[in-house]
Amino acid sequence: PFCQALQGKKKAIEESIFEELPSGVVLKARPDLWVEDTLTDIKTTEDASEGAFAKTCANLMYHLQAAHYLDMADANRFVFVAIERSAPYAVNVIELDSAWIEVGKSLREKAIQILHECSVLDQWPAYSTETKTLAMPKWVAI
């Protein structure tokens, strides 16, 4: 039904959107599909069920992506089409609720602030250059 509702409507496929921040840093979004005020992103996954996809969203921060794309496109709706990688290649159409989007917006604001600060200072911190010793986690040892 979701795909049928898109029939006959004007579509943009993988159309990039850019925004330049005052710091000169350029933000980019590239939705897989943009129909009117709805953005759609196609995701392959091992398990497209709602529970499993919620874990994937949290781990891969798909809620940050949704919030970023919604803001960049000034759109009202973001939908994931989750497609399983193995037969029977089940498909699930999933829209995150407002709580997901609000957390995504907050993460986006923090990320933009960090990006701005790094750009202004021209410092891009990552991991320390010191050598560290990694202890084996108990779950590895049998």
Side-chain angles (χ1 to χ4, degrees), residues 34-92:
W34 187 353
V35 180
E36 295 177 351
D37 71 340
T38 300
L39 305 174
T40 303
D41 199 65
I42 298 168
K43 298 291 189 193
T44 57
T45 184
E46 293 303 316
D47 184 348
S49 69
E50 290 87 350
F53 198 74
K55 290 177 186 175
T56 302
C57 284
N59 289 338
L60 300 178
M61 301 182 78
Y62 287 169
H63 52 306
L64 170 58
Q65 176 197 6
H68 177 65
Y69 282 29
L70 285 167
D71 189 64
M72 293 285 290
D74 195 27
N76 294 319
R77 189 172 183 215
F78 190 98
V79 176
F80 290 103
V81 176
I83 304 171
E84 292 182 354
R85 291 187 187 99
S86 56
Y89 308 105
V91 176
N92 203 355

